[in-house]
Amino acid sequence: MSSTSPTRGASPSRWMSRGAVHALLGIAALYSVLPLIWLLTSATKSVGDFSTTGAFELGDWNLWTNLGDLFAEEDGVFLSWIRNSLLYAGLGSVLGALICAACGYAIAKLDFPGRRALFAVTLAGVLVPTTALALPLYLLASELRVVNTFWAVFIPLLTNPFGVYLARAYAEAAVPDEVLEAARMDGSNELRTFFTIALPMMRPGVVTILLFQFVGIWNNFFLPLVMLTDPDLFPMTLGLFQWSARVSQFPQYTPLVVAGSLLAVVPLLLAFVVLQRQWRSGLAAGSVK
């Protein structure tokens, strides 16, 4: 007499099948790409095309005209915004990643009083939203008399608690204590040990931090909004926001804002493409280790 027993290796639910998962991923990818497609199509339109064509329809090919008008508007101030964004994000991400790597390495590998408390404070800093720090940073910059200067935006961007946390996690697993002890026995000081031994071992993690820093600084909007009033110091995010606020009264700014937004996406795409291999290996190593 046979008894009823659960079927082994039963087929998964249709909602968990491979086809369903692929369909959901396809929908998510399409949802992510749609804004970029809209930018590509809208950047080719004239002012009149925005009211006579659909969201994803191509208008008359006015892309080069729009780009020319973009760089000519207000005596070419958009070029200054590009330069500022590259300085804030490029220099800030490199220096910020190096600072985060040094801090994370010190917390992970150096024995000093208050190390655990410092790491706890770093974790607490990860939980604090950056917008909550804007007013204290403004008051501090006002005391130092650097409001409406390059440094008012640049210096706060060099610190990133999440980057320190990632660097600490990566250094803990990627840098063996035995290698550091051998370097110290050979007479290497801590600074030299970090730059010549630890930093190369942490390279994938540092590249990951650099990419996060670059994206975060490039998209940063609220801090420049609080700190800056001089248009020549604006990054692209703040400058395009100022122009977009004029669209309701001056419709001719619409193609300028759209074309500028399209150009603002290009450095992010290039950064992901160039650093993709190191970024992926850094994320994988950090998640496993």
Side-chain angles (χ1 to χ4, degrees), residues 109-198:
K109 295 299 179 179
L110 301 183
D111 188 12
F112 57 89
R115 183 177 68 168
R116 293 182 181 274
L118 181 60
F119 184 60
V121 172
T122 301
L123 290 180
V126 175
L127 304 177
V128 178
T130 55
T131 52
L133 301 176
L135 181 58
L137 287 174
Y138 175 81
L139 296 176
L140 180 60
S142 179
E143 289 292 329
L144 297 175
R145 300 183 185 277
V146 294
V147 173
N148 198 31
T149 67
F150 172 84
W151 305 108
V153 175
F154 181 74
I155 293 177
L157 299 176
L158 298 179
T159 58
N160 183 2
F162 183 66
V164 175
Y165 168 75
L166 286 181
R168 186 261 183 190
Y170 199 87
E172 187 72 34
V175 183
D177 292 332
E178 295 80 6
V179 176
L180 299 179
E181 289 298 330
R184 291 164 184 151
M185 291 180 63
D186 289 339
S188 176
N189 57 42
E190 293 296 341
L191 192 61
R192 182 179 179 184
T193 300
F194 169 70
F195 279 104
T196 60
I197 297 176

Side-chain angles (χ1 to χ4, degrees), residues 8-260:
R8 294 183 178 180
S11 59
S13 168
R14 61 176 181 172
W15 297 108
M16 296 300 293
S17 66
R18 179 175 298 180
V21 171
H22 287 175
L24 289 176
L25 290 176
I27 294 173
L30 181 62
Y31 178 78
S32 302
V33 172
L34 280 179
L36 184 58
I37 297 175
W38 181 85
L39 273 179
L40 288 171
T41 57
S42 298
T44 66
K45 299 179 180 180
S46 63
V47 177
D49 290 335
F50 282 94
S51 58
T52 58
T53 59
F56 299 101
E57 285 185 59
L58 288 171
D60 294 334
W61 191 261
N62 286 282
L63 177 60
W64 309 124
T65 302
N66 293 339
L67 291 177
D69 294 341
L70 174 68
F71 289 107
E73 185 68 23
E74 297 183 15
D75 298 325
V77 71
F78 189 75
L79 287 173
S80 298
W81 298 346
I82 294 177
R83 178 201 63 204
N84 296 335
S85 292
L86 291 175
L87 282 175
Y88 291 136
L91 190 58
S93 62
V94 172
L95 293 179
L98 184 60
I99 292 172
C100 291
C103 294
Y105 166 80
I107 294 174
K109 295 299 179 179
L110 301 183
D111 188 12
F112 57 89
R115 183 177 68 168
R116 293 182 181 274
L118 181 60
F119 184 60
V121 172
T122 301
L123 290 180
V126 175
L127 304 177
V128 178
T130 55
T131 52
L133 301 176
L135 181 58
L137 287 174
Y138 175 81
L139 296 176
L140 180 60
S142 179
E143 289 292 329
L144 297 175
R145 300 183 185 277
V146 294
V147 173
N148 198 31
T149 67
F150 172 84
W151 305 108
V153 175
F154 181 74
I155 293 177
L157 299 176
L158 298 179
T159 58
N160 183 2
F162 183 66
V164 175
Y165 168 75
L166 286 181
R168 186 261 183 190
Y170 199 87
E172 187 72 34
V175 183
D177 292 332
E178 295 80 6
V179 176
L180 299 179
E181 289 298 330
R184 291 164 184 151
M185 291 180 63
D186 289 339
S188 176
N189 57 42
E190 293 296 341
L191 192 61
R192 182 179 179 184
T193 300
F194 169 70
F195 279 104
T196 60
I197 297 176
L199 192 60
M201 292 181 174
M202 297 170 59
R203 185 181 63 180
V206 174
V207 172
T208 302
I209 297 170
L210 186 147
L211 187 57
F212 284 155
Q213 281 277 96
F214 184 86
V215 174
I217 297 173
W218 188 269
N219 293 328
N220 190 19
F221 166 76
F222 195 68
L223 184 63
L225 177 65
V226 172
M227 293 291 189
L228 303 177
T229 57
D230 184 1
D232 289 332
L233 297 174
F234 286 177
M236 280 196 288
T237 51
L238 182 56
L240 291 174
F241 170 77
Q242 297 283 358
W243 279 0
S244 66
R246 307 175 188 174
V247 167
S248 58
Q249 295 180 338
F250 306 99
Q252 63 269 24
Y253 276 99
T254 301
L256 304 184
V257 172
V258 173

